[in-house]
């Protein structure tokens, strides 16, 4: 490759060749950013861009706080869940793609009357109509996350976003859908706890035997009025997920 080629591409090419030749085995830890800088020169951004390219190609897995690894064949990869504002796409699909996986989901939506618990979370009277959507999220065709979502039909029922996964706005996140009806939601409020999976959850997630999960109670609010516009119960495999909150400022 020409010396005119950007340094990050040369670094990525060298690492790719070592992976494809078998010198770097699946599951093995790759050099740290500091080690790449020492070997190739350049800056943090050079090493980071090289690794980002290899992650996008599906050769490398990035594990938050633990470095970069050659993608394995049998060991499940750790998925990092991190909020990113203003996304127009599904946060799950977008996050999976950044980590070299294909994110898909199965869904089923039904109209029902809000239970007492759901009504309290949405600021409704018990029995008011809501759209209830059940999700199974998959990374590379393997289930990793479940979700039950509720939205007030008084808010969405007359709009194109009434059915979350049908119509022109299917497949986008809550924030992007609510923006269609002129609602800005900002970041959700989340309550997170660890617990053992129920038998039903373990079966849906392919966990044998049942293991730990992260259980998240999430609610999105209209930033202008403070009104809850969506609430969800999310269950994530504890052996597959790391949840990260906040974002470091960009280096200057």
């Amino acid at each position: 490759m020409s010396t005119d080629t950007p340094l990050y591409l040369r670094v990525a090419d060298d690492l790719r060749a070592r992976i494809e030749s078998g010198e770097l085995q699946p599951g093995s830890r790759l050099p740290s950013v500091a080690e790449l800088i020492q070997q190739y020169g350049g800056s943090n951004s050079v090493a980071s861009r090289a690794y980002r390219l290899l992650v996008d190609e599906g050769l490398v897995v990035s594990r938050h706080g633990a470095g970069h690894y050659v993608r394995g064949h049998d060991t499940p990869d750790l998925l990092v869940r991190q909020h990113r504002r203003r996304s127009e796409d599904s946060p799950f699909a977008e996050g999976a793609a950044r980590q070299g996986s294909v994110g898909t989901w199965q869904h089923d939506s039904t109209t029902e009357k809000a239970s007492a618990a759901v009504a309290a979370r949405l600021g409704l009277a018990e029995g008011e109509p809501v759209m209830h959507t059940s999700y199974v999220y998959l990374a590379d065709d393997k289930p990793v996350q479940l979700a039950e979502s509720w939205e007030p039909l008084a808010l969405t029922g007359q709009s194109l976003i009434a059915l979350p996964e049908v119509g022109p706005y299917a497949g986008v996140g809550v924030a992007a859908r609510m923006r269609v009806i002129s609602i800005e939601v900002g970041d959700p409020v989340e309550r997170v706890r660890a617990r053992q999976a129920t038998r039903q959850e373990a079966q849906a997630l392919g966990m044998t035997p049942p293991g730990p999960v992260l259980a998240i109670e999430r609610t999105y609010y209209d930033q202008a009025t403070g009104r809850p516009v969506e609430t969800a119960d999310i269950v994530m495999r504890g052996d597959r997920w790391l949840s990260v909150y906040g974002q470091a400022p960009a280096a200057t």
Side-chain angles (χ1 to χ4, degrees):
M1 181 174 287
S2 167
T3 55
D4 293 332
T5 301
L7 181 56
Y8 83 93
L9 289 178
R10 285 183 271 149
V11 173
D13 284 345
D14 286 351
L15 292 172
R16 186 187 301 106
R18 294 171 66 188
I19 292 170
E20 293 176 345
S21 71
E23 177 185 347
L24 293 171
Q25 291 292 308
S28 61
R29 191 178 189 279
L30 293 165
S32 67
V33 168
E35 289 169 339
L36 287 183
I37 293 172
Q38 184 176 12
Q39 180 178 354
Y40 295 95
S43 63
N44 283 2
S45 64
V46 168
S48 297
R49 290 183 70 185
Y51 274 137
R52 193 177 305 123
L53 178 60
L54 296 174
V55 167
D56 289 343
E57 292 176 356
L59 293 174
V60 168
V61 175
S62 175
R63 296 180 178 170
H64 185 81
H68 294 82
Y69 294 78
V70 179
R71 177 179 287 279
H73 300 301
D74 301 317
T75 303
D77 301 322
L78 188 65
L79 296 166
V80 178
R81 177 177 182 267
Q82 186 170 21
H83 290 295
R84 289 177 179 259
R85 298 288 295 276
R86 293 290 182 179
S87 171
E88 297 298 323
D89 299 318
S90 160
F92 175 78
E94 186 181 79
R98 285 198 307 270
Q99 297 169 74
S101 296
V102 177
T104 57
W105 55 94
Q106 302 162 357
H107 57 86
D108 181 42
S109 294
T110 57
T111 300
E112 62 185 36
K113 295 180 179 179
S115 67
V118 169
R121 286 163 58 175
L122 287 174
L124 306 175
E126 183 177 354
E128 284 194 50
V130 292
M131 182 63 69
H132 176 201
T133 305
S134 298
Y135 292 93
V136 178
Y137 292 91
L138 305 100
D140 297 331
D141 296 324
K142 295 181 180 179
V144 294
Q145 177 178 313
L146 309 173
E148 303 292 333
S149 168
W150 297 270
E151 297 176 354
L153 279 172
L155 181 68
T156 65
Q158 302 303 313
S159 72
L160 292 173
I161 66 168
L163 286 165
E165 299 297 332
V166 176
Y169 302 103
V172 302
V174 173
R177 288 178 53 250
M178 290 298 165
R179 205 170 295 130
V180 174
I181 55 175
S182 302
I183 292 176
E184 291 292 336
V185 298
D187 290 328
V189 175
E190 295 189 341
R191 299 173 60 189
V192 185
R193 66 188 178 96
R195 60 170 172 80
Q196 282 291 111
T198 66
R199 182 173 297 182
Q200 184 177 9
E201 290 167 347
Q203 183 177 9
L205 290 169
M207 302 173 71
T208 308
V213 294
L214 291 177
I216 302 172
E217 181 184 298
R218 180 193 73 194
T219 304
Y220 277 101
Y221 294 85
D222 182 338
Q223 295 296 286
T225 66
R227 176 184 182 179
V229 298
E230 188 264 4
T231 193
D233 289 328
I234 301 167
V235 176
M236 307 164 69
R237 283 187 61 147
D239 61 339
R240 293 297 309 274
W241 285 98
L242 174 69
S243 193
V244 179
Y245 292 85
Q247 190 168 353
T252 58

